Amino acid sequence: MKIADGSVVELEYTLRDDDGDVLDSSEGEETLHYLHGHGQIVPGLEKALEGRVAGDNVVVVVPPEEGYGPRFEDRVVTVARERLPADEEPEEGMVLEGNGPGGESLLLRVVAVSAEGVTLDANHPLAGANLHFDVTVRAVREATEEELQHGHAHGPDGHGHDHDHDDHDHEH
Ligand code: ZN
């Protein structure tokens, strides 16, 4: 069965940066299940997997435009400590939830804490990066009705992905 829109695909994957350092990998972890054609993975990888079959190894370099987008320096801002919630002491590497200009929720990484304030970066951590993927297709199957309704894969056998919740009516 070839990977097409509506396929649930199981992947082993390793993601590296331009220096060859591993950013993320399924090695020693659970494999990734995703619903093809629903934007669950970055567009460049989704495109490279189209038409592939179980057993295929796909090595692809995805540029930022087809990955997590470009990096915008104006998404890095320094704000006064008082503007942040008082209950948590900001530390480098911490991720805070904030709101964008349109009220949308944003994840803000704390990149520096100094006397002037706290520097926050709203860029995706992989924005501007070339993504070096090495993936192996483990399995391809058709999505269930429920998966198509939810717009994502539910694991190897089509059941819920979150074992702590009722498989049949979890919300997203
Ligand atoms: Zn679901």
Side-chain angles (χ1 to χ4, degrees), residues 8 30 33-34 141 147 152-161 163:
V8 170
E30 280 187 50
H33 293 82
Y34 81 95
R141 63 167 171 82
E147 286 172 319
H152 57 228
H154 279 172
D157 51 8
H159 285 132
H161 37 77
H163 300 291

Side-chain angles (χ1 to χ4, degrees), residues 146-147 150-154 160-161 167 170-172:
E146 193 188 42
E147 286 172 319
H150 285 196
H152 57 228
H154 279 172
H161 37 77
D167 287 345
H170 58 278
E171 289 181 62
H172 302 280

